[in-house]
Amino acid sequence: KAGVTQTPRYLIKTRGQQVTLSCSPISGHRSVSWYQQTPGQGLQFLFEYFSETQRNKGNFPGRFSGRQFSNSRSEMNVSTLELGDSALYLCASTFQEIQETQYFGPGTRLLVL
Amino acid sequence: GDSVTQMEGPVTLSEEAFLTINCTYTATGYPSLFWYVQYPGEGLQLLLKATKADDKGSNKGFEATYRKETTSFHLEKGSVQVSDSAVYFCAQTNFNKFYFGSGTKLNVKP
């Protein structure tokens, strides 16, 4: 079974731009969560989607948004990029509930200049 | 609020040394507890988990016991290898949210 895939793996943007990251969960998994990983703040939960609905949300500003499609693939979008948005963005999937074991993708490394 | 605290790194050990990485949690209710490992350039991988008090999770020689009385889930390994060098994250899940510790980098020298 293929693992969680994320595209692109690396991205360079400038301040003020917007960016869209993509995540394809393991086949059959319906829950997708997104995390931001930075050296200073560690791993922080952004949001979780299940059956095309946002089920849980972390404490991030409205510039961070996401969506999930009927095939469980998910995208997250960051608008009006700031330097502090530079991070590794990780996606994780579970079959149904976030309490289950999460399977992580390799991440998308975003650099904002 | 719910949180996870783990020991600061980096931890540097010689091969075959004993490893302990401390982890404590704060939670309402009864969380499930996890240890994840991240190798350079990769995402996180589940190392082990425990879902209720006194459960012991184990994998690849690593062990951790869910201690409700001390709200702890310390990671241990009797004899580390160079290949164990990575960042280790303690985590809990409670009420449909996941909380990670800040990560502990382990360096194992031959």
Side-chain angles (χ1 to χ4, degrees), chain A:
Chain A
K1 206 180 246 188
V4 177
T5 58
Q6 293 187 244
T7 56
R9 292 293 310 274
Y10 303 94
L11 209 47
I12 300 175
K13 292 285 188 180
T14 56
R15 277 181 299 175
Q17 287 187 308
Q18 75 165 19
V19 66
T20 299
L21 312 180
S22 180
C23 171
S24 292
I26 289 173
S27 177
H29 283 194
R30 297 166 64 191
S31 167
V32 173
S33 298
W34 287 90
Y35 296 86
Q36 182 194 66
Q37 186 178 21
T38 59
Q41 299 295 320
L43 206 62
Q44 293 187 288
F45 172 73
L46 279 155
F47 29 65
E48 182 227 359
Y49 285 85
F50 179 80
S51 291
E52 302 179 63
T53 301
Q54 187 181 88
R55 190 162 63 172
N56 292 290
K57 189 177 187 305
N59 298 320
F60 277 80
R63 299 186 298 108
F64 293 82
S65 63
R67 60 178 174 168
Q68 187 180 34
F69 302 94
S70 58
N71 62 358
S72 294
R73 189 178 69 86
S74 177
E75 290 181 346
M76 68 162 281
N77 184 76
V78 187
S79 62
T80 319
L81 283 166
E82 300 177 359
L83 295 179
D85 297 333
S86 295
L88 180 67
Y89 290 88
L90 293 165
C91 163
S93 76
T94 66
F95 174 64
Q96 190 151 343
E97 301 291 345
I98 198 170
Q99 296 96 316
E100 302 163 8
T101 302
Q102 294 193 77
Y103 294 86
F104 283 81
T108 294
R109 187 163 295 281
L110 171 65
L111 178 61
V112 181
L113 301 176

Side-chain angles (χ1 to χ4, degrees), chain B residues 40-88:
Chain B
E42 298 183 13
L44 277 69
Q45 302 173 23
L46 177 68
L47 183 57
L48 52 84
K49 68 176 183 180
T51 57
K52 62 182 188 296
D54 300 325
D55 268 3
K56 177 185 281 188
S58 60
N59 185 29
K60 299 180 182 179
F62 291 90
E63 293 183 339
T65 301
Y66 189 144
R67 301 285 188 200
K68 188 169 181 294
E69 63 277 11
T70 55
T71 62
S72 65
F73 193 55
H74 304 321
L75 182 68
E76 296 182 336
K77 187 175 185 183
S79 176
V80 294
Q81 306 300 312
V82 172
S83 57
D84 294 327
S85 297
V87 181
Y88 292 82

Side-chain angles (χ1 to χ4, degrees), chain B:
Chain B
D2 293 4
S3 65
V4 174
T5 303
Q6 62 183 102
M7 63 188 287
E8 294 277 334
V11 173
T12 300
L13 296 172
S14 298
E15 208 165 22
E16 299 183 3
F18 184 84
L19 168 72
T20 299
I21 300 178
N22 291 335
C23 170
T24 57
Y25 66 92
T26 303
T28 52
Y30 303 96
S32 294
L33 302 175
F34 303 80
W35 277 100
Y36 280 84
V37 58
Q38 186 176 34
Y39 298 100
E42 298 183 13
L44 277 69
Q45 302 173 23
L46 177 68
L47 183 57
L48 52 84
K49 68 176 183 180
T51 57
K52 62 182 188 296
D54 300 325
D55 268 3
K56 177 185 281 188
S58 60
N59 185 29
K60 299 180 182 179
F62 291 90
E63 293 183 339
T65 301
Y66 189 144
R67 301 285 188 200
K68 188 169 181 294
E69 63 277 11
T70 55
T71 62
S72 65
F73 193 55
H74 304 321
L75 182 68
E76 296 182 336
K77 187 175 185 183
S79 176
V80 294
Q81 306 300 312
V82 172
S83 57
D84 294 327
S85 297
V87 181
Y88 292 82
F89 292 88
C90 185
Q92 62 155 313
T93 180
N94 204 15
F95 297 111
N96 285 329
K97 291 192 177 181
F98 239 90
Y99 302 89
F100 282 87
S102 55
T104 302
K105 186 172 184 179
L106 171 65
N107 295 315
V108 180
K109 297 188 173 182

